[in-house]
Amino acid sequence: METNKTILAVIPARKGSKEVPGKNMKLLGSKPLIQYTIESALQSELLTTIVVSSDCEETVAFAKTWERIEAPFIRPAAISSDDTPSIEVMKHVMKFYKERQMEFEYVCLLQPTSPFRSPNLIDDAIRHMLKMDADSLTTIQKTPDKYNPLWAFHLSNGQLARFISDVVMPSRRQDLPDSHYRDGNIYLLKTALLSRNRLLGGRCIGYQAKNEIDLNINTLQEWKLAELHIEMHNREQKSTS
């Protein structure tokens, strides 16, 4: 299915990071972390415009070296703190383009912290959303049984209380219903949701692709896992060549 929808991809890449300092430009394997997401976006045939939003001059300069990647501003400090929601970054980008008479029907959030998207994931997710006539979409993975919400508790003053207390807790793994979590690879939504400060809303659907690598890099431990993945991939490539 082809589409003539206008879709803006936003790659947010602020310079501050408490767990992994300078992670967006830090080399993972042989290239900066952000490059993996830039390359994923460039593989898409359905994204209309791809923009990097960053408060880091080095990141902006790097983004500008890529054909079809736009980095037309330095993101204001007011929306570049550790606790700035992604939706505020997206609203700033949309406002920037609207002031230049460019509007989009959909916006796609691609976080650099999810570097290992498969080549067709972005376009497959877009096609799925349009086919389902949804308002928003996020990529998902099945929750491992040991983390199933029916087996989850919160701890208060040394006492455990179930998160979901109005459903009988299954004693066997086989009796657990499937549950899913957001894997961080893609958020896709109609731009109208931004005005309601919603990243997901309306008719919201999930997209679960097969064989996607589930790795979101927010800690040093996760960074090391990403390095290990690349090392293993390189060994496999050498063994088959």
Side-chain angles (χ1 to χ4, degrees):
M1 179 183 69
E2 297 305 316
T3 174
N4 59 357
K5 302 294 185 182
T6 52
I7 305 172
L8 172 67
V10 178
I11 302 174
R14 68 183 186 88
K15 62 184 175 184
S17 175
K18 293 179 179 178
E19 292 281 350
V20 188
K23 67 182 174 185
N24 288 307
M25 290 301 295
K26 181 179 173 68
L27 292 182
L28 178 61
S30 60
K31 52 192 179 184
L33 175 65
I34 193 175
Q35 183 171 334
Y36 292 87
T37 294
I38 286 174
E39 290 175 343
S40 292
L42 290 174
Q43 288 174 323
S44 169
E45 297 178 353
L46 301 180
L47 296 174
T48 310
T49 300
I50 306 165
V51 61
V52 170
S53 170
S54 180
D55 60 331
C56 174
E57 292 185 6
E58 180 188 11
T59 301
V60 169
F62 178 75
K64 287 180 176 180
T65 66
W66 294 82
E67 189 175 352
R68 289 183 54 218
I69 300 295
E70 299 187 9
F73 53 76
I74 301 291
R75 191 200 303 174
I79 54 169
S80 298
S81 65
D82 187 50
D83 58 356
T84 298
S86 295
I87 197 161
E88 293 303 320
V89 176
M90 298 163 73
K91 287 166 67 176
H92 172 260
V93 174
M94 293 296 296
K95 182 175 182 289
F96 174 88
Y97 281 104
K98 186 174 183 179
E99 289 173 349
R100 287 152 182 81
Q101 287 73 53
M102 291 180 64
E103 297 196 52
F104 301 88
E105 297 165 272
Y106 296 84
V107 58
C108 178
L109 178 65
L110 300 173
Q111 300 175 113
T113 46
S114 298
F116 301 129
R117 300 173 188 85
S118 60
N120 299 318
L121 181 63
I122 295 172
D123 283 356
D124 287 346
I126 291 171
R127 290 189 176 99
H128 182 64
M129 180 170 173
L130 296 177
K131 179 181 178 182
M132 298 296 292
D133 192 26
D135 298 307
S136 58
L137 171 149
T138 183
T139 46
I140 58 174
Q141 302 280 346
K142 183 181 180 297
T143 307
D145 290 335
K146 64 180 179 178
Y147 300 129
N148 190 286
L150 292 186
W151 280 0
F153 299 83
H154 62 82
L155 183 64
S156 177
N157 297 322
Q159 290 190 314
L160 290 176
R162 293 181 62 204
F163 269 107
I164 302 176
S165 58
D166 57 348
V167 178
V168 175
M169 180 189 293
S171 59
R172 303 189 317 148
R173 173 185 60 81
Q174 295 90 334
D175 296 329
L176 287 169
D178 285 349
S179 65
H180 298 82
Y181 63 92
R182 300 174 294 176
D183 63 16
N185 274 326
I186 297 172
Y187 292 89
L188 182 63
L189 57 146
K190 290 182 177 178
T191 54
L193 283 176
L194 290 179
S195 63
R196 291 154 50 190
N197 290 318
R198 302 288 297 276
L199 190 59
L200 297 173
R203 176 169 157 74
C204 179
I205 62 173
Y207 182 70
Q208 184 176 12
K210 294 181 179 178
N211 303 318
E212 284 297 314
I213 298 165
D214 181 21
L215 184 54
N216 209 308
I217 304 174
N218 292 299
T219 66
L220 281 173
Q221 182 181 17
E222 289 164 341
W223 184 276
K224 291 175 181 178
L225 287 174
E227 290 179 324
L228 180 60
H229 167 75
I230 290 174
E231 289 174 11
M232 293 176 64
H233 176 74
N234 289 341
R235 284 197 211 106
E236 290 174 1
Q237 293 291 96
K238 288 180 181 178
S239 65
T240 57
S241 61

